[in-house]
Amino acid sequence: MSDVNIKITDREGVIHDVVAPTDMSMNLMEIIRSYELAEEGTIGVCGGMAMCASCQVYVINDPGLEPMGDEEDAMLAEAFHVKDNSRLGCQLHIADAMEGLEVEIAPYP
């Protein structure tokens, strides 16, 4: 079993140091939901299918994330509050390379 440490700034500006398991096939959206860092019904609305952008985060420190896929890129092209460092939490699968990741949860529409 392996865990990574991630810093997540919630929508109120509060920084949370969380521990995320790499052996449970979770993604960042699920971590945010499990730690209840966003109001119920405002994160992962589509269930993690890259179809709503409610799990959008801004990557502050990227220790080695996987490149963005076509579906994620297409969804972000239609989303609100998008920045150059935007990613969808549902597309960021927890892996050892995420140790030290820092993100901020984007505003909900």
Side-chain angles (χ1 to χ4, degrees):
M1 186 163 106
S2 178
D3 296 331
V4 292
N5 297 290
I6 300 173
K7 279 190 191 297
I8 301 172
T9 303
D10 66 24
R11 292 179 177 138
E12 306 299 318
V14 178
I15 298 172
H16 304 269
D17 292 308
V18 304
V19 177
T22 60
D23 63 346
M24 294 181 63
S25 298
M26 295 181 80
N27 59 47
L28 185 59
M29 176 208 65
E30 293 167 326
I31 296 298
I32 292 169
R33 287 173 77 170
S34 68
Y35 277 90
E36 299 179 351
L37 301 182
E39 188 176 326
E40 183 73 29
T42 67
I43 189 115
V45 174
C46 72
M49 304 298 292
M51 296 175 65
C52 73
S54 65
C55 64
Q56 180 185 179
V57 297
Y58 304 129
V59 177
I60 298 165
N61 178 45
D62 178 355
L65 295 175
E66 291 291 321
M68 186 181 306
D70 292 340
E71 288 180 1
E72 181 180 7
D73 190 35
M75 183 67 251
L76 285 170
E78 299 177 19
F80 296 104
H81 311 290
V82 175
K83 298 181 180 181
D84 290 342
N85 60 340
S86 288
R87 293 294 302 264
L88 296 180
C90 68
Q91 300 302 299
L92 300 175
H93 300 281
I94 305 300
D96 290 331
M98 294 175 113
E99 176 66 36
L101 175 67
E102 294 181 38
V103 299
E104 176 184 351
I105 304 172
Y108 184 67

